[in-house]
Amino acid sequence: MLVAQSPHPLTPREALPLIYLDHAATTPLAPQAAAAMDRAASCFWANPSSVHTPGRAARAALEEARESLAAALNLKKYSLIFTSSASEANNLALKGRVYGRVGHPQHLVVSAIEHDSMRHTARYLAKTVPHVTLTEVPPDSNGVVSPSAIQAAIRPETMLVALMHANNETGAIQPVPQVARMLKSSPDYRNIALLCDAVQSFGKIPLDCEALGCDYMTLSAHKFNGPRGAGALVVSPRCSCDPLIHGGTQESGHRAGTENLPAIAGMAAAAQLAVARLAETQSHLARLEALFLAALCAAELPFQLNGPAADKLPGMINLSIPDLAQDDLIVGMDLAGFAISAGSACSSGVVEPSHVLQAMSLPEWRTRGSIRISFGPGNTPAEAESAADALAALAQRLEAELPASGAQSR
Ligand code: PLP
């Protein structure tokens, strides 16, 4: 039984008949971000490139948002390019670097667990740009890519390594600082850039781009209670990036187009909030995860965690239950009042087997049957426990409906 209590500001319950446990997909807009967006839309509606007074006010608001986001990320020397999403930021980093060196041999090393906006972009470049080659580096069975596996893939013509900070399906934190150190000691370091997709980690674990040692880092506002339509690419002073969108000189010539100031202001406000609440969020999410798993164990549900048990994002759980189908679990939980997701990306209504779990060489029942529960700061301990109880009850019911010959995967 859930105890009635006043909703957390990051849980807009009036819009949510279900208990939302899919924060890795997107998050509710924080009231502070909404207020910053309102203010930008009503007070700074002029074009930031205009030289008149309202234009200059909009420009000042834009630069204030940039400084505030840079401060939240502890960026001292790096520059920050606003984009429409992390997908765009990943495209901009990869294509912007490759297009700047067309005609030269270019080798990309990309981890096999990257988000599709990285993986598919790298594959596209290797297919379409002459002299571009690609090595995809698999993780171990816990979903962690080892620095030595990346090192083994490096060649004299390697010019970029892409390794995410934390995986969006398993939550596995990747050894980015170790890879940065390994690259720095490589004889070819001056040609190699490290690109880190930090979309899932920002706001959940400490994130410091300069301390991590990355050259490019990407972010998405809607993953940390900011709005959709805002992302960012962070670029180190030793790297450059050709634009993908040509036209005006916005974003220092890196991205033409009048800036989406309300979304940018919302992103900066959400980032400030995320950093201010980081310690609290981190321990809250870890507690919800522990309660959820303890309740599942207490219900004696046979399940297998996909991904590491430690060194992972707090509050993100990826699991498979022997013999039970992903769709039945997701739909059954939805009917029971809980919004959870497939472990794998579902971008057209069709759920593909997870490329991340496949790269981890897990058996098919785990790659095809995985579900992901991702808690947010607005979830309560009672919700975590009731979600586990609901999952255990659902699994029991589904197991009882299995044909006698169905239990093959245990
Ligand atoms: N990178 C990771 C790790 C993600 O989880 C996502 C979204 O799920 C993205 C990139 C793409 O973010 P956006 O929705 O801003 O394009």
Side-chain angles (χ1 to χ4, degrees), residues 2 16-21 331-340 390:
L2 289 181
L16 279 181
L18 300 190
I19 290 170
Y20 185 74
L21 304 177
V331 173
M333 284 298 277
D334 197 72
L335 292 173
F338 299 89
I340 65 165

Side-chain angles (χ1 to χ4, degrees), residues 24-25 85-87 90 115 117 164 166 168 197 199-200 220 222-223:
S85 62
S87 294
N90 284 338
H115 186 262
S117 57
M164 66 202 322
N168 50 301
D197 174 332
V199 165
Q200 290 291 340
S220 176
H222 74 97
K223 306 288 185 178

